[in-house]
Amino acid sequence: MDRLIIEGPSKMSGEVAVSSAKNAYLPILAATLVTSKPVHLKNLPDLKDIKTMIKLLTHLGVVVETKGDVTSFDSSKILSNEATYDLVKTMRASILVLGPILGRFLESKISLPGGCAIGARPIDLHLKNLKKMNANITIESGYVYAKTNGLKSADITLNFPSVGATENLMMAALFADGETVIENAAMEPEVEDLANFLIAMGAKIQGSGTSRLSIKGNMKADDFKEVTYEAIGDRIEAGTLIMAALITNSKIKVKNINPRHLSVVLHVLEEMGAAFEIGKNFITVKPSKLKWSKIHTAPYPGFPTDLQAQIMTLATKAEGASIIREEIFENRFMHVPELVRLGAEIELIGNAAIIQGNTKLTGCPVMCTDLRASAALVLAAMSAEGVTDVQRVYHLDRGYERLEEKLKMLGVKIERSNPGEYL
Ligand code: EPZ
């Protein structure tokens, strides 16, 4: 298993462009199933999760071809409507093919995703509301069987602005008879990007990026247009790199990012004492002395749960004690014991963590437990004295494209050992 050997403390300088957003491209890849026309996607990030989704699409009969930085998808002849367990178990976002397949083919068999390290991750909001759209859904031997004689438009209200549920229902609604409204829809930039992709293909969707979406139905696969699309920059990768610069007291420029997508994160960091130069599609981080903060994660535009582990690492170096409440997932503190191994002083009380500031971190072997926890350990290793051996980095490879190359280019002493396949 690959590991990253990092010698700290690091000093960073220079510029880096973030990759296209994994969490925008995953639903967009699922959405290639709604159309019989070619779809051309630019700069797909070279990530395990992206590869897994493409493997699933190929299994379903999509013809995929890459030429340079464009990958083309032809879903005109779908051969199967079944997403098997061996594919779905490695990546929960596979459930996003449910809406497109059910809408277009009226029947689908998708393995239940099962739990994951950070929480139970139920899909009740997806299923309950597909039923509201005239789908007959049963769960048997770990599979979701969904069938309909035609989806019906509905007025849907989500009791929680679930990203995945919003995306699945948005795609299913394209095929319903009439206009579907989704109230309390997720507003994450990645959800907005999916809506913009579908609109570029000819879908009629209003309210993208807001909590009220209305989707015109009665679409057929042949109604869509051929499209070339590039997803937004990855705001979570950008936030991770910004925190890496802050924890190493460095000046770097992070490019290919819409600062609006990180407004609350930048506000929280500025309140801690960080200073930025904000451009149209870049953020320059300036060396700053940081003080403690009080943070709780929330649905967009609140502080993203996907940056909770990373800001916890940053908090170990700030002046004073910080408190972080994780309000989205029930088990997203698995990075804490590993940070404690490096010398952090963190106490967990329910869904809150109290982090002592000004702690000295010392390099040692640590183990990744999930994608964003891995990023937090890399940041900690960059601020620790000495060598840190970050193990099981396959977790990191799910969501960060060649992170060690980007960090090395910025001056970090980092090497991947047992260099195997990235994916
Ligand atoms: C997406 O997951 C992201 N993944 C996650 O990023 C991200 O952490 C999460 O949104 C929240 O922002 C992708 O986009 C591929 P949710 P998703 O449905 O769609 C509960 C990463 O690190 N819930 O908004 O699964 C659920 O249990 C990953 O890149 C239900 O109860 O998130 C959780 O507590 C991790 N019933 C909360 O909502 C449902 O039917 C948020 O889930 C669905 C969700």
Side-chain angles (χ1 to χ4, degrees), residues 22-23 26 92-93 118 121-126 160-165 167 188 305-306 328-330 332 371-372:
K22 160 179 91 82
N23 290 350
L26 287 173
R92 321 177 31 72
I118 62 176
R121 314 281 299 267
I123 56 168
D124 55 307
L125 299 177
H126 303 235
F160 179 86
S162 155
V163 169
E167 292 166 343
E188 272 70 1
T305 174
D306 292 353
I328 303 290
F329 289 111
E330 63 270 29
R332 204 168 197 176
L371 168 54
R372 305 304 174 181

Side-chain angles (χ1 to χ4, degrees), residues 58-368:
T58 310
H59 164 83
L60 295 170
V62 180
V63 177
V64 183
E65 195 187 359
T66 296
K67 275 201 193 102
D69 62 2
V70 176
T71 303
S72 299
F73 299 79
D74 173 355
S75 299
S76 54
K77 293 180 194 57
I78 294 299
L79 310 172
S80 156
N81 63 6
E82 181 178 335
T84 54
Y85 179 63
D86 63 320
L87 279 166
V88 174
K89 71 182 175 196
T90 58
M91 204 222 7
R92 321 177 31 72
S94 313
I95 195 63
L96 294 173
V97 304
L98 172 58
I101 293 176
L102 180 63
R104 181 174 168 190
F105 301 105
L106 309 183
E107 190 170 351
S108 77
K109 178 184 172 191
I110 314 273
S111 166
L112 267 174
C116 95
I118 62 176
R121 314 281 299 267
I123 56 168
D124 55 307
L125 299 177
H126 303 235
L127 304 184
K128 178 165 68 174
N129 289 295
L130 284 172
K131 282 180 186 165
K132 223 177 151 182
M133 297 172 73
N134 189 40
N136 182 345
I137 301 219
T138 52
I139 292 181
E140 216 177 290
S141 341
Y143 276 82
V144 175
Y145 291 82
K147 210 167 178 170
T148 178
N149 53 13
L151 290 178
K152 300 246 177 290
S153 58
D155 287 333
I156 290 166
T157 299
L158 292 176
N159 21 0
F160 179 86
S162 155
V163 169
T166 304
E167 292 166 343
N168 241 333
L169 295 165
M170 187 198 307
M171 293 186 278
L174 297 167
F175 299 96
D177 69 342
E179 183 175 36
T180 296
V181 173
I182 305 176
E183 293 283 2
N184 198 27
M187 298 189 277
E188 272 70 1
E190 297 77 24
V191 179
E192 182 181 11
D193 212 21
L194 170 65
N196 292 340
F197 168 72
L198 293 170
I199 291 166
M201 283 205 307
K204 301 272 179 292
I205 299 173
Q206 267 151 19
S208 75
T210 76
S211 63
R212 187 180 191 280
L213 292 173
S214 67
I215 303 108
K216 273 218 179 337
N218 300 313
M219 295 292 280
K220 298 269 174 298
D222 294 344
D223 295 341
F224 294 100
K225 294 181 289 191
E226 179 167 2
V227 72
T228 297
Y229 198 82
E230 180 165 7
I232 53 174
D234 192 319
R235 64 190 167 107
I236 304 303
E237 183 187 5
T240 304
L241 291 166
I242 286 166
M243 292 183 199
L246 290 169
I247 206 164
T248 56
N249 219 8
S250 307
K251 177 180 182 182
I252 66 168
K253 182 176 185 179
V254 179
K255 302 183 295 184
N256 187 32
I257 183 64
N258 178 345
R260 179 175 68 82
H261 293 162
L262 281 169
S263 52
V264 169
V265 175
L266 296 175
H267 171 72
V268 166
L269 292 171
E270 281 168 343
E271 277 198 334
M272 291 174 76
F276 304 108
E277 184 201 339
I278 310 269
K280 189 167 169 303
N281 59 0
F282 71 84
I283 297 164
T284 298
V285 189
K286 297 180 184 152
S288 318
K289 186 104 188 70
L290 300 182
K291 68 172 182 56
W292 63 275
S293 182
K294 194 170 72 126
I295 296 153
H296 70 274
T297 60
Y300 192 85
F303 193 94
T305 174
D306 292 353
L307 283 172
Q308 177 260 106
Q310 298 92 317
I311 200 161
M312 185 180 290
T313 299
L314 186 61
T316 68
K317 307 304 283 184
E319 189 69 39
S322 296
I323 182 163
I324 296 178
R325 285 200 335 264
E326 172 54 58
E327 302 286 2
I328 303 290
F329 289 111
E330 63 270 29
N331 186 33
R332 204 168 197 176
F333 283 147
M334 283 175 298
H335 42 286
V336 171
E338 300 301 313
L339 290 174
V340 168
R341 280 179 51 74
L342 288 159
E345 289 177 55
I346 303 171
E347 187 176 349
L348 295 180
I349 306 168
N351 72 334
I354 298 169
I355 306 103
Q356 290 308 323
N358 288 329
T359 40
K360 183 176 173 335
L361 302 182
T362 309
C364 70
V366 288
M367 196 172 302
C368 298

